[in-house]
Amino acid sequence: MGVSSRPEKQPGGGTVRAESETRTRDALRAAQMYYLQNLTMEAIARELRISRSTVSRLLSHARSTGLVEIRIKSAADRAPALEKEISTRFGIQAKVVPVAEGVSPAQILQRVAVQAAHLINPLIDSDAIVGVAWGSTLTAVSQHLSVKNTHDSTIVQMNGAGNFRTSGITYASEILQRFGHAYGARVVQFPVPAFFDHTETKEAMWRERPVKRVLDLQARMNTAIFGVGSMEAGVPSHVYNGAYLDEEDLDDLLAEEVVGDVATMFYRADGTWDGIRLNDRSTGPDLHVLRQVPRRICVVAGEAKTTSLLGALRAGLVTDLILDENSARRLASS
């Protein structure tokens, strides 16, 4: 756990800015007294001449805005057995989120999302170009991000989100804007469909300067954050239930033995993706390009995604993995 000695800068002016700065100052003071001086909430309330409930709100504000970061370490600073086994086997960094048996898929997603948001926070630095894929998992993660000030950072959309029913701009934008707000970063959207109807259309679009600008940013990403798509997931992957694929597309994927996707780019159980025709029409980053990104953070919730996750690991698409305990057990035994 760490307490920052510098209050964060907040936008605004006049009275609103002054009130924000006062709240941040009070939250920092309360956090230092509570976490560093081991004072009780009652003692802090008496010293600051405020109510205990106000102290509680100030401590919550300190945590949510990044003034306080809490880390939990296992005994002797050793990772649990599942984390060590998965990390060693696949040559990655794995973090396992404890989940009891019988918890619903929706609850598992929320618990993984909360912990993933905390784990991702220290991995994002200034001058970063961070690629973010859209999907059910990243939607949940984006809702729990805490504020961390960075400088000259960019959040770039990794794949288009439109289909024949919607542009997808609003859906993808909400995820990106939450990441941008959390890290004080510029947001660059990719306003193209998830899949083109014709390969020739994609090839033509990829020659246009506005599109090439986004592709250039994607090629320079130093961090990519994504989930894995799977038709078998307890919480269905958005790409499989959001009017992105028609029956012919799904039949092709089955015939080509596809088990999942990352940012709408598909692969097989053995980690190969050669000859998968839908990838030629997808607007996601080529998986060869994705593999060149130094840090590739994959978040998985639900053991039904294990087959897809295993394919992504065999494809070398992941460097950092955050997953629930049930998925970790199944992955370890696969």
Side-chain angles (χ1 to χ4, degrees):
M1 184 276 298
V3 179
S4 171
S5 62
R6 285 194 308 176
E8 58 180 310
K9 293 183 179 179
Q10 296 284 346
T15 303
V16 174
R17 181 183 182 121
E19 291 177 352
S20 176
E21 291 177 347
T22 297
R23 181 171 174 78
T24 299
R25 183 194 64 220
D26 291 345
L28 177 61
R29 180 180 299 173
Q32 290 172 326
M33 296 170 74
Y34 186 77
Y35 291 107
L36 301 182
Q37 300 174 27
N38 293 325
L39 296 181
T40 65
M41 289 192 189
E42 290 80 2
I44 296 170
R46 288 195 301 270
E47 185 164 332
L48 298 183
R49 297 183 180 180
I50 56 179
S51 67
R52 187 184 184 284
S53 60
T54 300
V55 174
S56 179
R57 287 194 293 271
L58 288 173
L59 293 175
S60 295
H61 180 73
R63 290 192 296 269
S64 66
T65 56
L67 289 173
V68 171
E69 294 181 354
I70 298 174
R71 299 185 181 91
I72 299 176
K73 295 184 178 181
S74 60
D77 199 26
R78 290 178 297 186
L82 275 174
E83 291 182 352
K84 291 183 68 175
E85 182 177 350
I86 293 170
S87 297
T88 301
R89 178 178 170 186
F90 296 103
I92 62 173
Q93 292 294 319
K95 293 293 183 181
V96 175
V97 179
V99 176
E101 295 288 346
V103 177
S104 71
Q107 291 175 314
I108 291 174
L109 174 59
Q110 285 305 309
R111 294 185 188 185
V112 170
V114 169
Q115 193 153 336
H118 286 294
L119 291 169
I120 288 170
N121 191 277
L123 303 180
I124 307 301
D125 298 316
S126 295
D127 302 311
I129 299 177
V130 181
V132 174
W134 51 261
S136 303
T137 302
L138 266 293
T139 297
V141 172
S142 71
Q143 294 167 344
H144 299 285
L145 296 168
S146 56
V147 173
K148 174 182 179 180
N149 287 330
T150 68
H151 305 284
D152 199 27
S153 294
T154 302
I155 305 295
V156 59
Q157 184 176 338
M158 287 175 62
N159 53 323
N163 58 41
F164 69 91
R165 291 183 182 174
T166 173
S167 69
I169 292 175
T170 301
Y171 170 69
S173 177
E174 288 178 352
I175 301 171
L176 295 167
Q177 292 299 333
R178 291 187 192 116
F179 273 89
H181 172 73
Y183 302 119
R186 294 183 296 274
V187 171
V188 177
Q189 293 184 252
F190 199 19
V192 295
F195 303 98
F196 287 105
D197 287 337
H198 306 285
T199 303
E200 297 80 9
T201 308
K202 174 182 172 179
E203 292 172 349
M205 283 292 294
W206 261 220
R207 292 194 293 268
E208 296 295 320
R209 283 181 294 176
V211 173
K212 289 175 70 175
R213 171 176 169 263
V214 180
L215 296 177
D216 177 64
L217 281 172
Q218 292 176 356
R220 294 188 290 117
M221 294 184 297
N222 46 37
T223 302
I225 306 173
F226 52 86
V228 294
S230 170
M231 289 182 285
E232 303 173 349
V235 178
S237 301
H238 196 75
V239 70
Y240 300 104
N241 72 346
Y244 289 95
L245 304 172
D246 58 27
E247 290 299 323
E248 184 178 350
D249 292 330
L250 293 172
D251 288 343
D252 283 347
L253 293 178
L254 288 172
E256 292 165 336
E257 301 182 319
V258 165
V259 297
D261 75 280
V262 165
T264 60
M265 295 296 284
F266 300 91
Y267 50 82
R268 304 179 185 89
D270 62 0
T272 62
W273 61 85
D274 307 357
I276 297 176
R277 289 180 294 177
L278 193 53
N279 286 346
D280 294 334
R281 296 192 282 115
S282 172
T283 54
D286 186 282
L287 296 181
H288 289 292
V289 173
L290 181 58
R291 282 174 43 159
Q292 302 307 309
V293 179
R295 171 158 265 148
R296 307 181 295 280
I297 305 169
C298 180
V299 184
V300 174
E303 57 185 306
K305 289 189 173 183
T306 307
T307 301
S308 177
L309 172 58
L310 187 56
L313 291 167
R314 287 171 174 164
L317 304 179
V318 179
T319 61
D320 297 77
L321 175 63
I322 304 165
L323 76 169
D324 64 277
E325 187 175 2
N326 298 333
S327 298
R329 287 200 192 97
R330 185 169 174 182
L331 180 63
S333 65
S334 61

